[in-house]
Amino acid sequence: MRNFVNNSFRFLCIIIHLLFIFTPKLFSSGIDVFLLYQDRGILRSEDSGNSWKDFNMGLPKDCVPITIKSDSSGNLYLTTKENGIYKLPNGNALWESINSKDFLARSLLNSEKRYRKISALSIDYQNTQKVLIATKHSIFSSKDGGKSWKRISMRGLKKRNYITALAIGRKGDVFAGTSFNGMFRKNSSKFVKKTSGLPREPYAGRLSFYDEIAAIAIDTNNKNKIYTAINFHGGVFVSSNRGKSWQDLKIPIKNNAFVKIFDLNHYDNSLFVSTSAGIFRMCTKNMEWSLLELDDLFKKIPDNPSLLSLLFIDKSKKYPPLFYSIKEPVLQKSKNLLNNASDKRAIYTSIPSIRRNFKGLVETILKCNLNAIVIDMKDDLGDIYFPSKNVYANEIGAIKRYRQIKEVLKTLKDNNIYTIARIVVFKDKNLYKAYKNKYAVWDKKLNKPWKGNPREFWVDPHSEFVRRYNVDIAKEAQDIGFDEIQFDYIRFPSDGPLTRCLYRHNGRKYIYKSEVMSDFLIQAKRNIDAPISVDIYGYNAWYHFGNWIGQDLEAFSEIVDVICPMVYPSHFGKSFYMKGPREKRPYRIVYNSGKRALMLMTGKAALRPYLQAFKMYSPTWGKGYIKNQVQGASESGCSGYTFWNARGDYKILRKALQ
């Protein structure tokens, strides 16, 4: 959320100013207010903000709160960044952990115990003993207010979906909102997709993506009626038939291209929606919207820039509890070298391209107002292009010595060009074939090394040897003089008979693919002093993913220094983002990629997208295509960019930018 708010209290003042213009006050007096701080935990006021008390008894030291909810009985539920979920029974002053060991993050590093992110939470309005939570890709239910938990079958939903919202409906129905696949309803046997009427973006063929379901609410007077609110475009929808079809309620949010939804509640005859554009109320009798005024409460909040969120509870019960977020916590698991890595405008090159035209590449950088270069040091086959002393690399014949690399680095540094070593990690033909295929992904049906795309050779990311091998190679690249290490193919395979993949080195049950990738990056960060960047699929900058191929933008941004989504317009589906002038499509895709990625990132990492410098699948190709991408990256808030051309042919780039 840092993209919304550079100064949280400046933002608050703007919101307050807007709220005073419209309609009646939300609260006049007699409210409980809970403030969530990154560095102070929770503060509470029982007198409408006139006085504040610490409210952290029972919580772990340095606990970072994320969301806080109240059920209809006055019990409070708190989710945290890495400490799981806590409950405060009504009338108590001591928070109680209601965590299950099933919520624990799995790690290949045997690091300290931490809990997975609670990505969704719901309490039954009529029976507060029924609680649902999601830990990104798993759902758990409790029938005793969180004392015990049971894992819910994901049949019909698939574990690759990221759960972003939950609700308990009529007769025990479970509604699950996802980050890219719309809404699902679970009956007695399985989850069924319920997306008719919800907005979707065509991708290619019959494939479409849905914007993130941010919140779900059940009508308190009619359990067949369901409401949902959607992130990014800020729509609010209603279904009167338990999700079979949806209608747009036309919430009056202006300029609603990038809106964050914080809370959604139905109470009496009103629907309340807490958003980054303010708090809205809709009367369900006449379907009229109003923007609610927050009184002068914000003026009473202790001035602290680490304020994250607020929960309002009206003691008169005229309004439901409402959660309102200012910004996301910004975490960094280890040293951050953002200042060194920010604002880099680069081109990519291979060693063969350097051999052919090194002078031309340097001229392109200098004449096009660029300042950095990405060079293959370990390529897609696992070939290494510097005199590595790694025993295993030499043993398997991976070294393709390019003895001039130090001279190349000297020339680049003499021209003040920032140098980035590209290290391809889990796609590695040399390691795949070595040691009798010991580290290859295995085909459990054919009992031999697995192959998807015939030109790709995948090694097992669970293997400690594979991870250590790549970290050691990267550290050597740093030591010969590169300014930054960039990891590519930080993912599981995506093409071919994936159901036959066997990861023989996996020793952790229920581990998420994103946790495996995060473990590698944490391991690298602990051993490498230079800034670390990571390449991800362009579409992983649009939605919460993680358990599909292992690329979790949110988690990665808390570990590395730079995220590099490959947002080549040519590589998105043929039907994707086609509304508007065709020649402006590159701008639309790059701009929206940047905006959405910055909304999803919760760490301090910079965003440096890969842009397209090749003609493939691009009918509007030309100088304008290049300029549109640069404009989109700049205006969306990205910290530089990198142009990719596999052959190192940047003639069109020079025509557009020099």
Side-chain angles (χ1 to χ4, degrees):
M1 285 297 295
R2 62 185 181 147
N3 193 43
F4 281 124
V5 192
N6 291 326
N7 184 317
S8 60
F9 285 94
R10 180 184 176 193
F11 176 75
L12 282 173
C13 291
I14 295 172
I15 292 295
I16 294 167
H17 175 74
L18 291 173
L19 294 177
F20 269 111
I21 298 174
F22 295 89
T23 64
K25 295 180 179 180
L26 177 56
F27 300 114
S28 55
S29 62
I31 62 169
D32 263 359
V33 188
F34 298 86
L35 306 180
L36 276 57
Y37 286 88
Q38 179 153 340
D39 61 353
R40 301 177 65 181
I42 304 173
L43 297 182
R44 179 180 183 178
S45 172
E46 298 181 83
D47 55 9
S48 303
N50 291 311
S51 61
W52 301 89
K53 295 181 180 178
D54 181 276
F55 205 65
N56 295 293
M57 287 183 61
L59 296 178
K61 185 180 179 181
D62 301 325
C63 175
V64 178
I66 302 297
T67 59
I68 184 170
K69 287 194 174 186
S70 174
D71 64 22
S72 58
S73 298
N75 304 306
L76 295 178
Y77 289 82
L78 177 74
T79 67
T80 68
K81 189 64 184 176
E82 293 186 339
N83 297 107
I85 184 169
Y86 288 78
K87 180 180 180 179
L88 186 76
N90 190 13
N92 288 16
L94 184 69
W95 290 96
E96 302 172 356
S97 171
I98 55 171
N99 286 300
S100 163
K101 63 180 181 180
D102 289 328
F103 307 165
L104 284 169
R106 274 58 167 177
S107 175
L108 304 172
L109 301 178
N110 296 316
S111 56
E112 70 282 356
K113 184 173 75 172
R114 59 186 177 86
Y115 287 92
R116 289 169 169 163
K117 174 187 175 182
I118 306 297
S119 60
L121 166 66
S122 177
I123 308 108
D124 192 310
Y125 180 80
Q126 294 181 333
N127 180 0
T128 57
Q129 292 297 297
K130 292 183 179 180
V131 185
L132 289 174
I133 71 161
T135 56
K136 293 188 178 180
H137 315 293
S138 308
I139 302 176
F140 301 88
S141 67
S142 175
K143 295 181 179 179
D144 53 16
K147 293 179 181 178
S148 62
W149 297 92
K150 181 181 179 181
R151 186 184 296 267
I152 287 183
S153 168
M154 302 290 283
R155 183 176 172 228
L157 184 55
K158 297 182 180 179
K159 293 181 180 179
R160 71 185 184 186
N161 275 298
Y162 188 115
I163 312 303
T164 52
L166 290 167
I168 302 171
R170 184 173 68 89
K171 296 182 179 180
D173 285 350
V174 173
F175 288 87
T178 68
S179 62
F180 62 88
N181 216 4
M183 181 77 74
F184 290 79
R185 189 187 80 208
K186 186 179 188 296
N187 52 30
S188 58
S189 59
K190 66 177 183 178
F191 282 97
V192 179
K193 200 169 185 177
K194 300 291 181 181
T195 55
S196 178
L198 292 178
R200 61 188 179 91
E201 181 63 41
Y203 190 72
R206 300 175 64 181
L207 178 63
S208 295
F209 287 89
Y210 294 82
D211 259 343
E212 183 171 294
I213 304 291
I216 311 169
I218 308 296
D219 192 299
T220 52
N221 300 319
N222 178 4
K223 273 205 163 186
N224 286 318
K225 185 176 285 189
I226 319 295
Y227 302 93
T228 188
I230 296 175
N231 271 335
F232 303 116
H233 294 295
V236 179
F237 296 81
V238 62
S239 171
S240 299
N241 49 21
R242 299 170 63 210
K244 292 181 181 178
S245 60
W246 298 88
Q247 293 179 314
D248 190 348
L249 292 176
K250 306 292 184 183
I251 185 171
I253 298 177
K254 296 181 179 180
N255 191 25
N256 65 341
F258 299 100
V259 174
K260 190 79 170 176
I261 305 295
F262 307 128
D263 203 1
L264 180 67
N265 275 294
H266 182 269
Y267 189 76
D268 198 11
N269 290 309
S270 295
L271 181 69
F272 295 84
V273 190
S274 174
T275 80
S276 57
I279 297 178
F280 294 81
R281 176 185 181 181
M282 188 194 77
C283 176
T284 54
K285 289 185 176 180
N286 57 21
M287 308 294 281
E288 291 184 357
W289 287 96
S290 55
L291 183 61
L292 297 177
E293 186 180 308
L294 292 177
D295 205 354
D296 61 346
L297 174 65
F298 282 133
K299 299 176 183 178
K300 304 174 183 178
I301 291 176
D303 188 8
N304 188 320
S306 73
L307 176 65
L308 302 172
S309 309
L310 308 88
L311 175 70
F312 309 101
I313 300 179
D314 182 19
K315 294 178 182 178
S316 69
K317 297 187 177 181
K318 186 177 180 181
Y319 301 101
L322 281 172
F323 178 75
Y324 187 82
S325 182
I326 307 301
K327 61 183 179 181
E328 297 278 359
V330 176
L331 298 185
Q332 190 74 12
K333 292 183 181 297
S334 55
K335 58 194 174 189
N336 184 273
L337 302 169
L338 177 58
N339 290 336
N340 295 338
S342 61
D343 300 318
K344 296 298 182 284
R345 303 174 303 282
I347 58 172
Y348 157 82
T349 186
S350 64
I351 291 297
S353 295
I354 286 180
R355 287 182 178 135
R356 286 194 304 268
N357 187 26
F358 179 51
K359 182 179 179 181
L361 293 170
V362 173
E363 287 180 355
T364 296
I365 293 169
L366 297 177
K367 291 185 177 182
C368 293
N369 192 32
L370 307 178
N371 58 12
I373 189 169
V374 178
I375 305 175
D376 277 344
M377 285 293 100
K378 179 173 179 278
D379 69 11
D380 299 31
L381 298 176
D383 290 343
I384 297 168
Y385 290 97
F386 63 90
S388 169
K389 297 179 181 179
N390 186 282
V391 173
Y392 304 106
N394 282 276
E395 196 171 80
I396 66 177
I399 310 300
K400 310 296 180 185
R401 289 183 175 88
Y402 180 63
R403 300 187 183 279
Q404 290 76 37
I405 189 62
K406 291 187 177 180
E407 288 81 357
V408 166
L409 290 174
K410 183 180 185 304
T411 299
L412 293 170
K413 292 182 184 300
D414 287 346
N415 285 278
N416 294 317
I417 297 172
Y418 183 82
T419 56
I420 304 167
R422 177 176 178 255
I423 307 291
V424 174
V425 182
F426 297 117
K427 194 172 83 164
D428 188 327
K429 183 178 181 180
N430 294 320
L431 196 55
Y432 175 96
K433 292 189 172 184
Y435 310 115
K436 298 181 180 179
N437 304 109
K438 180 177 180 179
Y439 300 108
V441 174
W442 203 251
D443 191 318
K444 59 186 175 183
K445 180 180 179 180
L446 302 179
N447 193 29
K448 67 178 186 178
W450 179 87
K451 285 301 295 292
N453 186 319
R455 295 173 296 177
E456 295 183 350
F457 299 82
W458 290 89
V459 292
D460 192 339
H462 295 270
S463 165
E464 164 59 22
F465 176 85
V466 172
R467 298 196 311 275
R468 171 53 60 185
Y469 174 75
N470 280 282
V471 170
D472 288 347
I473 295 298
K475 192 173 188 305
E476 281 191 294
Q478 167 200 266
D479 292 343
I480 66 171
F482 277 92
D483 297 310
E484 177 179 314
I485 300 300
Q486 184 171 112
F487 291 116
D488 200 356
Y489 286 88
I490 301 295
R491 64 176 179 89
F492 286 77
S494 59
D495 302 303
L498 300 176
T499 57
R500 297 192 339 224
C501 288
L502 174 64
Y503 299 97
R504 296 175 293 172
H505 298 267
N506 181 11
R508 299 288 189 277
K509 189 178 182 181
Y510 295 124
I511 192 168
Y512 295 158
K513 290 181 178 179
S514 59
E515 291 173 330
V516 178
M517 294 299 118
S518 293
D519 275 350
F520 170 77
L521 294 174
I522 291 170
Q523 189 172 352
K525 194 67 176 172
R526 290 173 179 173
N527 289 276
I528 294 171
D529 295 321
I532 291 176
S533 53
V534 58
D535 300 341
I536 65 171
Y537 268 0
Y539 219 68
N540 284 355
W542 284 67
Y543 301 101
H544 283 107
F545 277 95
N547 219 26
W548 196 329
I549 58 173
Q551 292 183 342
D552 186 331
L553 175 67
E554 178 183 11
F556 286 6
S557 74
E558 296 174 3
I559 304 169
V560 302
D561 302 283
V562 185
I563 303 289
C564 304
M566 298 173 285
V567 296
Y568 317 127
S570 64
H571 280 43
F572 286 80
K574 294 181 180 179
S575 306
F576 183 73
Y577 255 56
M578 294 301 290
K579 296 177 182 177
R582 179 68 63 89
E583 65 274 11
K584 295 296 289 184
R585 182 174 182 256
Y587 169 83
R588 294 195 298 272
I589 288 178
V590 174
Y591 176 82
N592 281 271
S593 296
K595 282 289 189 181
R596 295 170 73 105
L598 289 169
M599 286 179 68
L600 295 174
M601 292 164 60
T602 57
K604 294 181 180 179
L607 190 67
R608 185 201 300 152
Y610 263 97
L611 305 182
Q612 181 180 345
F614 51 90
K615 189 178 179 180
M616 180 187 297
Y617 307 132
S618 304
T620 62
W621 179 252
K623 292 187 294 183
Y625 199 101
I626 297 293
K627 292 179 179 179
N628 276 324
Q629 291 181 92
V630 171
Q631 182 185 1
S634 175
E635 293 183 358
S636 65
C638 295
S639 181
Y641 46 82
T642 302
F643 275 102
W644 175 280
N645 184 289
R647 300 191 307 272
D649 181 359
Y650 292 106
K651 295 185 185 70
I652 188 67
L653 190 70
R654 291 182 68 161
K655 290 180 180 179
L657 299 184
Q658 73 179 23

